[in-house]
Amino acid sequence: MRATGHTEGVTSTAPAPTSGPAAADDSAAPVLRDFGGGPFGIYIHVPFCATRCGYCDFNTYTAGELGSSSSPQSWFEALRGELATAAQEFDALPTSTPAVETVFVGGGTPSLLGGDGLAGVLDAIRDNFTLAPGAEVTTESNPESTSPEFFERLRAAGYTRISLGMQSAAQHVLKILDRTHTPGRAVAAAREARAAGFDHVNLDLIYGTPGETDADLDASLDAVLSAGVDHVSAYSLIVEDGTALARRVRRGELPAPDDDVLAARYERIDSRLAAAGLHWYEVSNWSASDAGRCRHNLGYWDGGDWLGAGPGAHSHVGGVRWWNVKHPARYADQVATGGLPAAGWEALTDEERYTERVMLTVRLRTGLPLDDLDADGRAAAAKVVADGLAEIVADRLFLTDRGRLLADGVVRTLLT
């Protein structure tokens, strides 16, 4: 079981770019075909963080790392330019641009922009695209950079969903992760969001951090359940190459996460959440109702289209995928020259699209239609069923409880 040790809904939720014969010249702008017919969402990447967490390998920068090369204001002006350019590019496609079903502002730490800054982001989207009636609009937030007034401003601006990075209720675990918030602040922030009128609030957990005990996990789950949220994301800690955490593990200062411990922790999380009425709908995500599910992430998992705006963000429209330049200063410079600020792009082959369909859909509670599998895939499905990792009901393949623990292995078998 592999998940990212970061907050919900960031660009890594989407498939990573692949190289191959369909990949285009990295210096060229993406050549778009048309929309794919699925839901259309917009992801906004805010690259700023107050401090760098030791486990994080995402495209984020502290003020000290950026110096005078970039600022929230220069980022915002570039973002407005990218959104306007993307809208023009989409208007040239054969079909009209769909209404935006979901917006997700992630990072980084979007809450560092403040309520007015995040309201401005949503206004910039509205200036260039049409929000569908009942659109889901989410922002990630660090508990320490929120307040009752912050949530009230977001609610008035049109945000409908809040995702808070809690990670753990144990102070020593937060310290190992280099998280700056106090253990009780995430729960307090969740309650403040609900008091401001947000029906949909997510709390993120990371489990398997070196030094975390079963009692620490239970305390975290107790805190989550006391907050009254309708959504929980729980990710096993992954020690990513190039991070401060990876260096500490390599030097022997911290042990690497243990797979057996991670499996036991996952089972504990699932049991506690299910007993409280939050049920899994994707391997690492639980909700109290269908309405509480993250529609934006479901758009990724179901093969929808999305525009990713901001430094390093990834986009996908009709089988064409592109990814932006990473550094905020270079991103702003490239937006200023006109055109999309792409670092590279690729047109997905049928084989690549098949791989991603299997890889993402099998993780969903709704299962993978057998008709989506080729002959080899259907034969492999029989094997994972025989191994007790999945079951077939009404021509769909569903992971068993044990299969969820070994979801990556199931995917590898289906694609072998």
Side-chain angles (χ1 to χ4, degrees):
M1 177 172 53
R2 178 178 174 84
T4 177
H6 200 72
T7 47
E8 180 204 35
V10 290
T11 49
S12 67
T13 305
T18 57
S19 60
D25 182 348
D26 281 357
S27 65
V31 178
L32 302 181
R33 300 163 169 168
D34 204 354
F35 291 95
F40 176 54
I42 293 180
Y43 172 81
I44 303 293
H45 187 69
V46 181
F48 307 109
C49 282
T51 61
R52 179 171 295 281
C53 297
Y55 62 90
C56 179
D57 71 338
F58 281 72
N59 189 44
T60 62
Y61 304 84
T62 65
E65 290 169 338
L66 287 172
S68 61
S69 69
S70 183
S71 68
Q73 184 58 38
S74 65
W75 165 84
F76 180 64
E77 290 305 317
L79 177 73
R80 287 168 56 92
E82 183 185 6
L83 290 172
T85 298
Q88 293 171 359
E89 294 281 346
F90 293 165
D91 284 345
L93 297 178
T95 58
S96 59
T97 305
V100 178
E101 298 285 347
T102 64
V103 173
F104 200 107
V105 184
T109 308
S111 49
L112 288 178
L113 300 178
D116 289 343
L118 285 168
V121 169
L122 191 52
D123 286 341
I125 293 172
R126 290 193 182 104
D127 287 343
N128 294 283
F129 297 90
T130 299
L131 289 185
E136 175 192 88
V137 184
T138 303
T139 183
E140 293 180 340
S141 299
N142 186 310
E144 291 293 343
S145 51
T146 64
S147 66
E149 294 76 20
F150 170 83
F151 293 120
E152 289 165 4
R153 180 69 179 95
L154 293 187
R155 194 74 187 96
Y159 284 82
T160 67
R161 189 171 179 276
I162 299 294
S163 183
L164 292 160
M166 174 179 168
Q167 320 315 356
S168 176
Q171 181 66 60
H172 69 98
V173 173
L174 294 175
K175 184 176 181 180
I176 290 172
L177 295 173
D178 295 320
R179 297 290 294 185
T180 58
H181 65 268
T182 55
R185 178 57 202 152
V187 171
R191 291 172 176 163
E192 291 166 1
R194 290 183 58 80
F198 285 96
D199 293 327
H200 304 305
V201 180
N202 171 68
L203 281 173
D204 277 334
L205 289 176
I206 291 178
Y207 60 94
T209 300
E212 180 190 59
T213 66
D214 291 342
D216 292 331
L217 178 63
D218 281 338
S220 297
L221 291 168
D222 289 342
V224 165
L225 296 176
S226 74
V229 298
D230 72 332
H231 193 285
V232 176
S233 299
Y235 304 108
S236 61
L237 179 68
I238 301 298
V239 180
E240 301 285 3
D241 290 341
T243 62
L245 181 63
R247 291 190 289 272
R248 294 183 70 187
V249 170
R250 187 171 59 250
R251 291 194 298 262
E253 297 173 12
L254 294 171
D258 181 273
D259 287 343
D260 290 337
V261 171
L262 293 178
R265 297 265 165 84
Y266 180 87
E267 291 174 328
R268 180 63 173 166
I269 292 168
D270 184 54
S271 176
R272 289 286 308 277
L273 294 180
L278 290 102
H279 300 284
W280 78 281
Y281 68 97
E282 191 273 342
V283 168
S284 297
N285 291 272
W286 291 257
S287 68
S289 66
D290 289 352
R293 298 176 178 181
C294 181
R295 288 162 50 195
H296 186 81
N297 281 351
L298 284 169
Y300 293 147
W301 298 324
D302 286 336
D305 292 325
W306 69 90
L307 169 68
H314 293 195
S315 301
H316 171 269
V317 173
V320 175
R321 185 163 55 210
W322 66 98
W323 47 98
N324 287 349
V325 295
K326 288 186 173 184
H327 195 279
R330 186 176 171 222
Y331 163 76
D333 288 344
Q334 193 157 326
V335 170
T337 65
L340 295 172
W345 69 280
E346 62 184 350
L348 300 177
T349 65
D350 289 343
E351 181 180 357
E352 288 168 336
R353 298 179 80 168
Y354 174 81
T355 295
E356 293 186 358
R357 172 70 174 163
V358 172
M359 178 179 68
L360 297 174
T361 307
V362 78
R363 294 174 60 90
L364 298 174
R365 190 184 186 105
T366 49
L368 173 66
L370 292 181
D371 287 345
D372 286 357
L373 295 172
D374 58 21
D376 290 339
R378 286 191 289 273
K383 182 180 186 307
V384 297
V385 169
D387 290 340
L389 302 178
E391 58 184 359
I392 295 175
V393 179
D395 293 326
R396 298 180 80 92
L397 184 74
F398 300 91
L399 292 177
T400 61
D401 290 346
R402 182 167 173 264
R404 277 192 282 158
L405 295 173
L406 301 170
D408 287 353
V410 171
V411 169
R412 286 192 295 271
T413 299
L414 293 175
L415 295 175
T416 299

